[in-house]
Amino acid sequence: MAAPGAGDPVDAKNGKAPFAQRIDPTREKLTPAQLQFMQQVQLAQWQKTLPQRRTRNIVTGLGIGAVVLAIYGYTFYSVSQERFLDELEDEAKAARARALARASGP
């Protein structure tokens, strides 16, 4: 039988696969070779997930940009639809004309 951790995929005692243990490099004394290996593994994991992360970031950015442009476009559309200020200006002009007519008329 192989020694535990010697590449044995299943632990003979409980029939479960071994899990990696978290190591805090600040608390445990590690050799420079171990630290270098940890950095290499971290870099490999980071490079493995980089394309997926990049794709998600692009999709998220495009989604946020689309929402911003939709709000911006809707704002311009709704402002162009508003005619109440034009109606108020027309009423104000008519009121001024009536006031001038009254003042100069009789």
Side-chain angles (χ1 to χ4, degrees):
M1 207 183 249
D8 191 16
V10 176
D11 190 8
K13 290 182 184 176
N14 55 14
K16 294 183 180 177
F19 289 99
Q21 295 178 353
R22 289 195 179 265
I23 296 175
D24 187 6
T26 58
R27 291 186 180 173
E28 298 185 30
K29 303 277 183 183
L30 299 176
T31 64
Q34 289 173 325
L35 290 173
Q36 182 183 8
F37 179 71
M38 285 176 58
Q39 289 174 347
Q40 286 177 348
V41 169
Q42 287 175 346
L43 180 63
Q45 288 174 345
W46 186 78
Q47 287 176 344
K48 181 180 173 184
T49 60
L50 182 65
Q52 185 180 20
R53 191 177 321 122
R54 183 177 291 146
T55 302
R56 277 194 214 140
N57 287 347
I58 290 172
V59 169
T60 302
L62 290 174
I64 291 171
V67 168
V68 167
L69 288 176
I71 292 171
Y72 189 72
Y74 178 74
T75 301
F76 271 99
Y77 174 74
S78 64
V79 167
S80 69
Q81 296 273 329
E82 294 177 359
R83 303 277 186 237
F84 71 93
L85 288 178
D86 295 338
E87 293 172 4
L88 287 177
E89 288 177 15
D90 291 342
E91 288 177 15
K93 285 181 186 177
R96 274 187 242 129
R98 282 192 302 256
L100 286 174
R102 285 183 196 151
S104 63

